[in-house]
Amino acid sequence: MKLFIFTILTISLLSSPSLAISPQKPYQQQSTKFIRTSCITTTYPTLCYSSLAKHAASIQTNRLILTNTALNVTLASAKYTSALMSTLSKNRRVAAREVAALRDCVEVVGDSVDELRRSISEMGRVGGPNFFEPTIMSDVQTWVSAALTDESTCIDGFEGTMNSEVKTIVRTHIVRLAHLTSNALAFINQLASLHA
Ligand SMILES: *[C@@H]1O[C@H](CO)[C@@H](O)[C@H](O)[C@H]1NC(C)=O
């Protein structure tokens, strides 16, 4: 009987949401609030928050770190999406028309990876002796906008193809990538206008 009650108690404790989630330290609460508030200004706030909240400890309430983290998360997604499409394009069961679209996507998302890498490296100069030098921000705005254009090119490449599992998988990942890119661009534009 004792064991039974103990088990029930343990189960109810573990399933209680307020107890299952470890309490946040005050600075983390402040940071998650900062991330939530910042994300509201982007076009895809839910994705913005879910992709950045786990980095709260390093973001704290710093706009520059928030922007750089958003870029890093976007780059990781671009690399993953590119690798996924490359794998799919080599699958013998994928139709020829889709293989062609996938190969185009690997190329344009590869460009997008380069543009994001260049942006991250350039953003590393912000805060140094060239603190918010306008040319840095305008270069980064140009490259991240170009990355977004490349991603839409990939989406467009599938327009003429039939509905299929491959198309659904590609769309899901590329649309998520484009939304992450759009959110990162929103933060970059805000930084640029704050320091113009
Ligand atoms: C972003 O990634 C770069 C390169 O991996 C790293 O040096 C930098 O610390 C990261 N920035 C943030 C804010 O996480």
Side-chain angles (χ1 to χ4, degrees), residues 65 68-69 72:
I65 301 176
N68 289 341
T69 307
N72 279 4

